[in-house]
Amino acid sequence: MKKFPINQYADIVKEIRERILSAEMLSDEDKNLVFIESTSLQIRKILELIAYLSVLANNEKLNHNNRKEYHAEKIINTLTEKTTIFYPFPSHIFPPSNNNEQPVLIPIGYQYALSQDDFKKVYSKCGKILHAQHPLKSKVNIEEYVRENKITLNKLKELLSRHTIGIRHDTNKYTFLHVEMDFTNNNNTKPSTIREYKTHIFDENQ
C-alpha cells in the first residue's frame, strides 16, 4: 500500500488553522478597508490550502499540470471530473475496537459548513476585492464583504473542525483520514489530530 504523506497534510492543516484565527482577528476591524481586504486575502489563501489538501489525497489521479495548478477553483473542477471523493466531509468517526471491525462514520453534512458550491462563489468573490478600486467602475459593497467574510469563516470552521477524506492508495485499497481541529485560542486549546483508519472499501461508490 502506498504511504500517504501525512506529515505534509498535517503541515497544511496547521497553516489553515493559523490563517483562520488570523482572519477572524482581522474581520473584527470592520470599518477599515485595508483590514477587510486582508480578511478576504486570508480566506482566499485558506481555500487554496483546502484545495491543496485534496491534491495530496488524490495525487495519483492528476496529471503533471493538474498537480502543479495553483488556482483553487480549477483544482476543484478538475477533481470533480476525475473522482467522487476528494473534498473534506464534515463528520464524526468512531474507531473500530478491533482489526475486524470497520470505523463508523456519522455524517454532519454541509448545512452549516462550506460546500463545494460555496467554495467556488467565495473564491471568486474574494478575488474581486484584491485589486485597487477602479475609478470608472461601480464601488465595491464593503458592508457586504464584512458580513459575508464572517459567515464564510464560520462555515470554514464547521467544514474543517471534524472532517474525513477517503484516501485511495492503490486499486481496491482505501483508508479514511479523519481530522479534528480545535479553533479555540486559549490555554485549553486541544492540538489538531489526524488519524488514518483502514477500511474494507473497494471502490469510491461504495
Side-chain angles (χ1 to χ4, degrees):
M1 184 179 286
K2 296 175 184 175
K3 188 172 175 59
F4 180 73
I6 200 162
N7 289 338
Q8 282 181 280
Y9 199 98
D11 287 343
I12 296 176
V13 163
K14 180 181 177 183
E15 184 178 347
I16 287 174
R17 182 182 178 279
E18 289 171 352
R19 288 189 182 276
I20 286 177
L21 293 176
S22 296
E24 283 191 311
M25 286 189 287
L26 290 169
S27 70
D28 289 337
E29 300 290 337
D30 57 7
K31 304 299 181 189
N32 186 311
L33 180 58
V34 173
F35 281 93
I36 295 164
E37 291 171 343
S38 298
T39 305
S40 295
L41 174 61
Q42 287 305 315
I43 289 173
R44 193 168 160 101
K45 283 179 175 286
I46 291 161
L47 297 180
E48 288 170 353
L49 290 168
I50 292 171
Y52 299 159
L53 289 179
S54 295
V55 169
L56 269 183
N58 296 274
N59 148 49
E60 83 289 342
K61 299 170 187 169
L62 303 172
N63 63 33
H64 176 75
N65 289 335
N66 294 151
R67 290 188 193 107
K68 302 297 182 183
E69 180 61 64
Y70 69 90
H71 191 281
E73 186 175 354
K74 289 181 181 178
I75 292 171
I76 296 298
N77 288 337
T78 297
L79 286 168
T80 300
E81 294 172 0
K82 293 182 179 291
T83 183
T84 55
I85 300 174
F86 68 89
Y87 190 72
F89 182 62
S91 52
H92 296 284
I93 198 163
F94 295 94
S97 57
N98 59 60
N99 290 335
N100 295 320
E101 292 185 359
Q102 289 278 275
V104 177
L105 189 70
I106 308 296
I108 299 173
Y110 296 99
Q111 182 178 0
Y112 302 107
L114 196 81
S115 68
Q116 289 181 48
D117 286 341
D118 292 334
F119 184 108
K120 295 175 186 179
K121 290 173 186 173
V122 170
Y123 186 76
S124 175
K125 185 155 190 173
C126 284
K128 292 175 182 176
I129 202 175
L130 301 185
H131 305 285
Q133 179 68 53
H134 194 292
L136 302 181
K137 291 186 177 181
S138 56
K139 289 187 176 181
V140 170
N141 186 335
I142 297 302
E143 290 77 14
E144 184 178 308
Y145 271 91
V146 170
R147 182 176 65 255
E148 292 191 1
N149 279 349
K150 289 182 178 180
I151 291 171
T152 296
L153 288 168
N154 284 329
K155 284 187 171 186
L156 282 166
K157 290 193 291 185
E158 289 292 331
L159 174 71
L160 298 169
S161 59
R162 290 181 180 84
H163 72 270
T164 304
I165 60 166
I167 306 292
R168 181 181 183 273
H169 296 270
D170 209 336
T171 305
N172 299 339
K173 290 182 180 178
Y174 289 81
T175 61
F176 283 147
L177 199 69
H178 184 70
V179 182
E180 294 191 7
M181 301 168 68
D182 184 351
F183 288 102
T184 61
N185 196 18
N186 54 48
N187 292 334
N188 297 319
T189 300
K190 298 175 183 176
S192 297
T193 59
I194 303 177
R195 295 185 176 90
E196 192 168 8
Y197 297 100
K198 292 180 180 179
T199 71
H200 299 154
I201 290 177
F202 305 111
D203 63 64
E204 291 186 358
N205 289 330
Q206 183 185 0

